Amino acid sequence: MTDRSEAAQAVHAARARRDVTWQELADAMGRPLVWATAALLGSHPLTPDEAEAAGALLDLEPSVVEALQLPPVRDTGRSGSSPVDPTVHRFREVIGLYGPALRELIHEQFGDGIMSAVDFRLDMRRVTDPAGDRVVIVLDGKFLAYRW
């Protein structure tokens, strides 16, 4: 049986082979772009209908379609390893630089609690700018107050 990692590799290969964009896959699955991309890379399980839609568009083997429906193993800590990919490194850098300030501001404005990464929305878009196009990322999580 194909595992989640192998399924992600199969998705990458099929996208290149069939010249399918992430947006086309998201549209076929009826899901937001960032969520669909993350799911196809192994971060979220797909429903049978979503997996079938992606599988049909990419002409994936049945074992890959099945693997896309498996619960993922979420390892956000990566055992302290540093990412090699420069884009992922920049995201860690942003959190390292601004995470403590964001924590303070959340506590000041909302109280003692956290931003949910479960009841959560994420959006990314390109904005044209004369000084160079901008990457706009919106993290939208429900505030969860600590309850003692």
Side-chain angles (χ1 to χ4, degrees):
M1 175 172 197
T2 303
D3 68 20
R4 292 302 304 251
S5 175
E6 293 167 335
Q9 292 173 4
V11 167
H12 270 296
R15 281 187 59 249
R17 184 175 58 253
R18 298 184 61 95
D19 194 30
V20 174
T21 67
W22 291 113
Q23 185 65 62
E24 290 168 331
L25 284 161
D27 292 345
M29 294 165 52
R31 287 294 205 146
L33 174 62
V34 176
W35 187 94
T37 304
L40 289 166
L41 294 176
S43 293
H44 306 293
L46 275 63
T47 65
D49 288 343
E50 292 164 348
E52 288 293 334
L57 192 57
L58 295 174
D59 194 28
L60 297 174
E61 296 291 326
S63 63
V64 174
V65 173
E66 289 174 14
L68 292 172
Q69 299 171 61
L70 296 173
V73 175
R74 294 181 177 103
D75 179 16
T76 57
R78 303 281 188 242
S79 303
S81 66
S82 296
V84 175
D85 179 84
T87 302
V88 174
H89 175 74
R90 290 297 172 249
F91 282 111
R92 287 194 176 176
E93 183 178 46
V94 166
I95 295 303
L97 288 171
Y98 296 103
L102 290 169
R103 178 194 176 281
E104 287 297 320
L105 293 168
I106 287 170
H107 284 226
E108 180 178 85
Q109 293 180 24
F110 292 88
D112 188 20
I114 61 172
M115 179 182 77
S116 175
V118 175
D119 190 345
F120 184 81
R121 292 185 292 257
L122 173 67
D123 186 41
M124 193 260 340
R125 68 184 183 279
R126 180 180 192 152
V127 175
T128 304
D129 187 291
D133 288 358
R134 310 289 296 180
V135 177
V136 177
I137 298 170
V138 178
L139 307 172
D140 179 356
K142 178 180 179 182
F143 177 73
L144 302 173
Y146 284 115
R147 297 188 182 160
W148 305 103

Coordinates of all heavy atoms in Angstrom, one line a residue, residues 31-35 44 115-124 136-143:
R31 N -12.3 22.8 -2.7 CA -11.6 23.2 -1.4 C -10.8 24.5 -1.7 O -10.4 24.7 -2.8 CB -10.7 22.1 -0.9 CG -11.4 21.0 -0.3 CD -12.1 21.4 1.0 NE -12.3 20.2 1.8 CZ -12.3 20.3 3.1 NH1 -12.1 21.4 3.8 NH2 -12.4 19.2 3.9
P32 N -10.5 25.2 -0.6 CA -9.6 26.4 -0.8 C -8.2 26.0 -1.2 O -7.7 24.9 -0.9 CB -9.5 27.0 0.6 CG -10.7 26.5 1.3 CD -11.0 25.1 0.7
L33 N -7.5 26.8 -2.0 CA -6.2 26.5 -2.6 C -5.2 26.1 -1.6 O -4.6 25.0 -1.8 CB -5.7 27.8 -3.3 CG -4.3 27.7 -3.9 CD1 -4.2 26.6 -4.9 CD2 -3.9 29.0 -4.5
V34 N -5.0 26.8 -0.5 CA -3.9 26.4 0.4 C -4.2 25.1 1.1 O -3.4 24.3 1.3 CB -3.6 27.6 1.5 CG1 -2.6 27.2 2.5 CG2 -3.2 28.8 0.7
W35 N -5.5 25.0 1.6 CA -5.9 23.7 2.2 C -5.7 22.5 1.3 O -5.1 21.5 1.7 CB -7.3 23.8 2.7 CG -7.7 22.6 3.6 CD1 -7.6 22.5 4.9 CD2 -8.1 21.3 3.1 NE1 -8.0 21.2 5.3 CE2 -8.3 20.5 4.2 CE3 -8.3 20.8 1.8 CZ2 -8.7 19.1 4.1 CZ3 -8.7 19.4 1.7 CH2 -8.9 18.6 2.9
H44 N -3.5 16.8 5.5 CA -4.9 16.6 5.9 C -5.4 15.4 5.1 O -5.0 15.2 4.0 CB -5.7 17.8 5.5 CG -5.2 19.1 6.0 ND1 -5.2 19.4 7.4 CD2 -4.7 20.2 5.4 CE1 -4.8 20.6 7.5 NE2 -4.4 21.1 6.4
M115 N -4.2 31.3 19.6 CA -4.9 31.2 18.3 C -5.0 29.8 17.9 O -4.0 29.1 17.9 CB -4.2 32.0 17.3 CG -4.8 32.0 15.9 SD -3.9 32.9 14.6 CE -2.6 31.7 14.3
S116 N -6.2 29.3 17.6 CA -6.4 27.9 17.2 C -5.8 27.7 15.8 O -5.8 28.5 14.9 CB -7.9 27.6 17.1 OG -8.1 26.3 16.6
A117 N -5.1 26.5 15.7 CA -4.7 26.0 14.4 C -5.6 24.9 13.9 O -5.3 24.3 12.9 CB -3.2 25.6 14.5
V118 N -6.7 24.7 14.6 CA -7.7 23.7 14.2 C -8.9 24.4 13.6 O -9.3 24.1 12.5 CB -8.1 22.8 15.4 CG1 -9.2 21.9 15.1 CG2 -6.9 22.0 16.0
D119 N -9.4 25.4 14.4 CA -10.5 26.2 13.9 C -9.8 27.4 13.2 O -9.6 28.4 13.8 CB -11.4 26.7 15.0 CG -12.7 27.4 14.5 OD1 -12.7 27.7 13.3 OD2 -13.6 27.5 15.3
F120 N -9.4 27.2 11.9 CA -8.4 28.0 11.3 C -8.6 28.1 9.8 O -9.0 27.1 9.2 CB -7.0 27.3 11.6 CG -5.8 28.0 11.1 CD1 -5.3 29.1 11.9 CD2 -5.2 27.6 9.9 CE1 -4.1 29.7 11.4 CE2 -4.0 28.3 9.5 CZ -3.5 29.3 10.3
R121 N -8.3 29.3 9.3 CA -8.3 29.5 7.9 C -7.0 30.1 7.5 O -6.4 30.9 8.2 CB -9.4 30.4 7.5 CG -10.8 29.8 7.6 CD -11.9 30.7 7.1 NE -12.1 31.9 7.9 CZ -13.0 32.1 8.8 NH1 -13.9 31.2 9.1 NH2 -13.1 33.2 9.5
L122 N -6.5 29.8 6.3 CA -5.3 30.3 5.8 C -5.5 30.7 4.3 O -6.1 29.9 3.5 CB -4.2 29.2 5.9 CG -2.8 29.4 5.2 CD1 -2.1 30.6 6.0 CD2 -2.0 28.2 5.3
D123 N -5.0 31.8 4.0 CA -5.1 32.3 2.6 C -3.8 32.9 2.1 O -3.0 33.4 3.0 CB -6.2 33.4 2.5 CG -6.5 33.8 1.0 OD1 -6.5 32.9 0.1 OD2 -6.6 35.0 0.8
M124 N -3.5 32.7 0.9 CA -2.3 33.3 0.3 C -2.6 33.9 -1.1 O -3.4 33.3 -1.8 CB -1.2 32.2 0.1 CG 0.2 32.7 -0.2 SD 0.9 32.7 -1.8 CE 0.0 31.6 -2.8
V136 N 1.1 37.9 0.1 CA 0.2 38.2 1.2 C -0.4 36.9 1.8 O -1.0 36.2 1.1 CB -1.0 39.2 0.8 CG1 -1.9 39.5 2.0 CG2 -0.4 40.5 0.2
I137 N -0.1 36.7 3.1 CA -0.5 35.5 3.8 C -1.4 35.9 5.0 O -1.0 36.8 5.8 CB 0.7 34.7 4.2 CG1 1.5 34.2 3.0 CG2 0.2 33.5 5.1 CD1 2.8 33.6 3.4
V138 N -2.6 35.4 5.0 CA -3.5 35.7 6.1 C -3.7 34.4 7.0 O -4.1 33.4 6.4 CB -4.8 36.2 5.6 CG1 -5.8 36.4 6.7 CG2 -4.7 37.4 4.7
L139 N -3.3 34.5 8.2 CA -3.6 33.4 9.2 C -4.8 33.8 10.0 O -4.8 34.9 10.6 CB -2.4 33.2 10.1 CG -1.0 33.0 9.5 CD1 0.1 33.1 10.5 CD2 -1.0 31.7 8.7
D140 N -5.9 33.1 10.0 CA -7.1 33.4 10.6 C -7.6 32.3 11.5 O -8.2 31.3 11.1 CB -8.1 33.7 9.5 CG -9.5 34.1 10.0 OD1 -9.8 34.1 11.2 OD2 -10.4 34.3 9.1
G141 N -7.2 32.4 12.8 CA -7.5 31.3 13.8 C -8.5 31.9 14.9 O -8.3 33.0 15.3
K142 N -9.3 31.0 15.3 CA -10.3 31.4 16.4 C -9.4 31.5 17.7 O -8.5 30.8 17.9 CB -11.3 30.2 16.6 CG -12.2 30.4 17.7 CD -13.2 29.3 17.8 CE -14.1 29.5 19.0 NZ -15.0 28.3 19.1
F143 N -9.8 32.5 18.5 CA -9.1 32.7 19.8 C -9.7 31.7 20.7 O -10.9 31.5 20.9 CB -9.4 34.1 20.3 CG -8.8 34.3 21.7 CD1 -7.4 34.4 21.8 CD2 -9.6 34.3 22.8 CE1 -6.8 34.5 23.1 CE2 -9.0 34.5 24.1 CZ -7.6 34.6 24.2

